[in-house]
Every structure is written in C-alpha cells, then in structure tokens.
Amino acid sequence: LDFIEERTNKLEQIHQEILGGDVILRVENSSTDANKIVEMKLLLKGDELFAEKQSSTFENATDQVVDALKRQLRKYKERHTSK
C-alpha cells in the first residue's frame, strides 16, 4: 500500500488544507481483467471530494483516481480563492 501513500502525497502539493481521506480497494467479480476498483474520498474543510476508477491493476486505478482528484482539487481551489 506504499504506492497509494506515495501517489496521494502529491495531492497535498495542490491543496495544503486536506484534512484526511479514505481509500477503498475492491476486486469486482467480472469476466474482464479490469476488475480492480479504487475509491478515494478526500476531506476538506466543509467539503469532500470523491473519485472512483476501475482498471486491471490497483496501481493503474490509483493513478487514475489521483489524476481525477488533482483536477477536482484545482477546480475547488479556483472556486474558493476567487471569492
């Protein structure tokens, strides 16, 4: 699980006020190789962000989730700094 911590630490570079988060790893019963699911929730002051991705490996799904959360964090930061 070090790869998850390593990748999620990059999110703090975008937004320093992340209070915490949850990560769920699941394997879905399916006939395809893309059966690894990563769900990630980030807790921010007064808000939370969520992403879920599915891939053939947990590492790829984690990378996709982190990329999605990076985009969400940038949008969140833009919305809340322009007020």
Side-chain angles (χ1 to χ4, degrees), residues 12-64:
E12 291 178 341
Q13 295 171 355
I14 297 170
H15 192 66
Q16 290 75 29
E17 297 179 18
I18 297 172
L19 302 175
D22 295 315
V23 178
I24 298 173
L25 306 176
R26 289 190 287 134
V27 177
E28 187 175 80
N29 291 333
S30 71
S31 59
T32 66
D33 287 338
N35 64 346
K36 314 299 187 295
I37 301 170
V38 175
E39 299 176 8
M40 195 174 298
K41 178 171 62 171
L42 291 181
L43 304 175
L44 306 170
K45 187 175 182 179
D47 213 345
E48 60 183 48
L49 303 177
F50 179 81
E52 175 183 324
K53 297 293 176 182
Q54 185 169 341
S55 184
S56 59
T57 67
F58 283 122
E59 290 85 351
N60 287 342
T62 300
D63 286 339
Q64 293 172 20

